[in-house]
Amino acid sequence: MENCNIHWEQKSLVNELAQGRDLARQLQIHLNVPSSSYGTRELLVQKIILSYEKALSMLNSSSSASGGEQQQPTGHVAIRMVESPPHSLNESPRSEDSDREFKDHDNKDSSRKRKNLPRWTQQIRVTSGMGLEGPLDDGFSWRKYGQKDILGAKYPRGYYRCTHRNVQSCLATKQVQRSDEDPTIFEITYRGKHTCTQASTGTSTPPSPSPLQPERTERQNNLVDPQQKQQQSQQHTLLNLPEGLRVITEGLDTREELFPSFNSPSPLNNSYVGSFSSPFAGPTTSGTNYFSMSQRDFGVDQNFQSGEIISAPTSATNSPSVGLDIPFGQADQLFPNFSFDGPGFFS
DNA sequence: GCAATTTGACCGGT
DNA sequence: ACCGGTCAAATTGC
């Protein structure tokens, strides 16, 4: 008897999710149609949100008997995508970065300069209580290779590259800069797509959380340094994280599909379970859309405890090497955990 | 002892 | 010349 009930609920849930997906598709179409009005889009967004909210509530009521704190405990992670200035990317053959190592060898024809690599920015606000580990941990293994004081910036900028750069020539890098105004905000600029297969490393990278060490040049001892400790998960134990994830997509008129999974009927785990969180919770971003997603299906890092992620896709270019890539190829990087490999990371 | 981080130097673009 | 990004030797942590 109970099974029937559960089945029914599952069906409803799937239904709801499918509806949300369809709505999202519609929205995508609308985004591509310039004639589409904001109102229409807004409506679609509302519908999507509603749909996800329903789904989430179903999940909450039925399963998740554990605690029921599926919604939004104390922490939130808000992601804000802001379209960044066009940044005319002239594909000048010669470009900035000094990859001596690569350059010296045989870089003549391979114009795969880092300039051509996709690039976007993510702003993360860390709310009290949460270690910075959370938002700063995006599921990838980064290795710090530099730190620089930036002109006009109060805090130094950290430079990170993929740990597997040498072994797998993964050119992904990122920069972490703390906002001087809001020390709770970290601006993380990603560059390049991860070509490495991290999760498979035999040696389980210890999730060794690097202790938060204060930067030397800092003036505030309150805040911790942008230290990334990533851990690759060999097993995507998709724990249902109680955290709520607020995604603020702002000015996302990029025709690019940031969320390819939304419209791709791929049988994979595209099942995004999400719900809309009441607007009150959100910052002032007017005209932005909030998604609150439970992380269960995203395998989102549990470290995301509280904090807001305000992300802004910056100029991105297709990586020449990966012709068939998603335009921005960032969906999987912005939300590395959302894809397949959930950071199994410790507990 | 190894691996990651620190930190000053170096390099290239503007 | 300045500035941002990277390298690599030294240092630190595990």
PDB file of all heavy atoms in Angstrom, chain A residues 197-209:
ATOM      1  N   THR A 197      40.948  14.358 -15.761  1.00  0.00           N
ATOM      2  CA  THR A 197      39.992  13.478 -15.111  1.00  0.00           C
ATOM      3  C   THR A 197      40.432  13.322 -13.680  1.00  0.00           C
ATOM      4  O   THR A 197      41.276  12.532 -13.356  1.00  0.00           O
ATOM      5  CB  THR A 197      39.989  12.112 -15.787  1.00  0.00           C
ATOM      6  OG1 THR A 197      41.348  11.659 -15.817  1.00  0.00           O
ATOM      7  CG2 THR A 197      39.471  12.215 -17.180  1.00  0.00           C
ATOM      8  N   GLN A 198      39.871  14.115 -12.898  1.00  0.00           N
ATOM      9  CA  GLN A 198      40.361  14.152 -11.543  1.00  0.00           C
ATOM     10  C   GLN A 198      39.894  13.023 -10.683  1.00  0.00           C
ATOM     11  O   GLN A 198      40.623  12.531  -9.859  1.00  0.00           O
ATOM     12  CB  GLN A 198      39.852  15.376 -10.837  1.00  0.00           C
ATOM     13  CG  GLN A 198      39.652  16.508 -11.723  1.00  0.00           C
ATOM     14  CD  GLN A 198      39.783  17.732 -10.896  1.00  0.00           C
ATOM     15  OE1 GLN A 198      39.719  17.691  -9.687  1.00  0.00           O
ATOM     16  NE2 GLN A 198      39.996  18.828 -11.513  1.00  0.00           N
ATOM     17  N   ALA A 199      38.695  12.686 -10.866  1.00  0.00           N
ATOM     18  CA  ALA A 199      38.101  11.767  -9.908  1.00  0.00           C
ATOM     19  C   ALA A 199      38.750  10.404  -9.942  1.00  0.00           C
ATOM     20  O   ALA A 199      38.561   9.596  -9.075  1.00  0.00           O
ATOM     21  CB  ALA A 199      36.616  11.636 -10.196  1.00  0.00           C
ATOM     22  N   SER A 200      39.503  10.177 -10.954  1.00  0.00           N
ATOM     23  CA  SER A 200      39.984   8.812 -11.116  1.00  0.00           C
ATOM     24  C   SER A 200      41.359   8.587 -10.528  1.00  0.00           C
ATOM     25  O   SER A 200      41.896   7.519 -10.590  1.00  0.00           O
ATOM     26  CB  SER A 200      40.021   8.476 -12.593  1.00  0.00           C
ATOM     27  OG  SER A 200      40.795   9.450 -13.249  1.00  0.00           O
ATOM     28  N   THR A 201      41.923   9.592 -10.005  1.00  0.00           N
ATOM     29  CA  THR A 201      43.266   9.408  -9.496  1.00  0.00           C
ATOM     30  C   THR A 201      43.300   8.326  -8.450  1.00  0.00           C
ATOM     31  O   THR A 201      42.569   8.352  -7.490  1.00  0.00           O
ATOM     32  CB  THR A 201      43.782  10.689  -8.853  1.00  0.00           C
ATOM     33  OG1 THR A 201      42.673  11.436  -8.456  1.00  0.00           O
ATOM     34  CG2 THR A 201      44.620  11.444  -9.814  1.00  0.00           C
ATOM     35  N   GLY A 202      44.144   7.435  -8.674  1.00  0.00           N
ATOM     36  CA  GLY A 202      44.239   6.328  -7.740  1.00  0.00           C
ATOM     37  C   GLY A 202      44.464   6.829  -6.339  1.00  0.00           C
ATOM     38  O   GLY A 202      43.816   6.409  -5.399  1.00  0.00           O
ATOM     39  N   THR A 203      45.369   7.734  -6.243  1.00  0.00           N
ATOM     40  CA  THR A 203      45.631   8.261  -4.923  1.00  0.00           C
ATOM     41  C   THR A 203      44.532   9.220  -4.554  1.00  0.00           C
ATOM     42  O   THR A 203      44.414  10.282  -5.107  1.00  0.00           O
ATOM     43  CB  THR A 203      46.954   9.016  -4.931  1.00  0.00           C
ATOM     44  OG1 THR A 203      46.931   9.892  -6.052  1.00  0.00           O
ATOM     45  CG2 THR A 203      48.100   8.064  -5.046  1.00  0.00           C
ATOM     46  N   SER A 204      43.767   8.773  -3.687  1.00  0.00           N
ATOM     47  CA  SER A 204      42.674   9.633  -3.288  1.00  0.00           C
ATOM     48  C   SER A 204      43.249  10.892  -2.692  1.00  0.00           C
ATOM     49  O   SER A 204      43.958  10.867  -1.717  1.00  0.00           O
ATOM     50  CB  SER A 204      41.842   8.926  -2.245  1.00  0.00           C
ATOM     51  OG  SER A 204      42.678   8.625  -1.158  1.00  0.00           O
ATOM     52  N   THR A 205      42.952  11.931  -3.342  1.00  0.00           N
ATOM     53  CA  THR A 205      43.437  13.176  -2.800  1.00  0.00           C
ATOM     54  C   THR A 205      42.749  13.431  -1.492  1.00  0.00           C
ATOM     55  O   THR A 205      41.565  13.555  -1.442  1.00  0.00           O
ATOM     56  CB  THR A 205      43.106  14.324  -3.719  1.00  0.00           C
ATOM     57  OG1 THR A 205      42.320  13.805  -4.738  1.00  0.00           O
ATOM     58  CG2 THR A 205      44.328  14.986  -4.220  1.00  0.00           C
ATOM     59  N   PRO A 206      43.520  13.490  -0.533  1.00  0.00           N
ATOM     60  CA  PRO A 206      42.942  13.725   0.779  1.00  0.00           C
ATOM     61  C   PRO A 206      42.242  15.045   0.774  1.00  0.00           C
ATOM     62  O   PRO A 206      42.792  16.027   0.321  1.00  0.00           O
ATOM     63  CB  PRO A 206      44.148  13.769   1.705  1.00  0.00           C
ATOM     64  CG  PRO A 206      45.321  13.981   0.812  1.00  0.00           C
ATOM     65  CD  PRO A 206      44.946  13.466  -0.532  1.00  0.00           C
ATOM     66  N   PRO A 207      41.088  15.027   1.213  1.00  0.00           N
ATOM     67  CA  PRO A 207      40.313  16.256   1.270  1.00  0.00           C
ATOM     68  C   PRO A 207      40.946  17.212   2.245  1.00  0.00           C
ATOM     69  O   PRO A 207      40.337  18.115   2.722  1.00  0.00           O
ATOM     70  CB  PRO A 207      38.952  15.808   1.767  1.00  0.00           C
ATOM     71  CG  PRO A 207      39.081  14.386   2.120  1.00  0.00           C
ATOM     72  CD  PRO A 207      40.421  13.884   1.720  1.00  0.00           C
ATOM     73  N   SER A 208      42.128  16.959   2.507  1.00  0.00           N
ATOM     74  CA  SER A 208      42.822  17.740   3.492  1.00  0.00           C
ATOM     75  C   SER A 208      42.510  19.190   3.345  1.00  0.00           C
ATOM     76  O   SER A 208      42.969  19.837   2.440  1.00  0.00           O
ATOM     77  CB  SER A 208      44.304  17.573   3.312  1.00  0.00           C
ATOM     78  OG  SER A 208      44.676  18.251   2.144  1.00  0.00           O
ATOM     79  N   PRO A 209      41.701  19.620   4.168  1.00  0.00           N
ATOM     80  CA  PRO A 209      41.356  21.027   4.148  1.00  0.00           C
ATOM     81  C   PRO A 209      42.541  21.830   4.598  1.00  0.00           C
ATOM     82  O   PRO A 209      42.999  21.679   5.711  1.00  0.00           O
ATOM     83  CB  PRO A 209      40.229  21.134   5.167  1.00  0.00           C
ATOM     84  CG  PRO A 209      40.128  19.805   5.809  1.00  0.00           C
ATOM     85  CD  PRO A 209      41.159  18.895   5.244  1.00  0.00           C
TER      86      PRO A 209
END
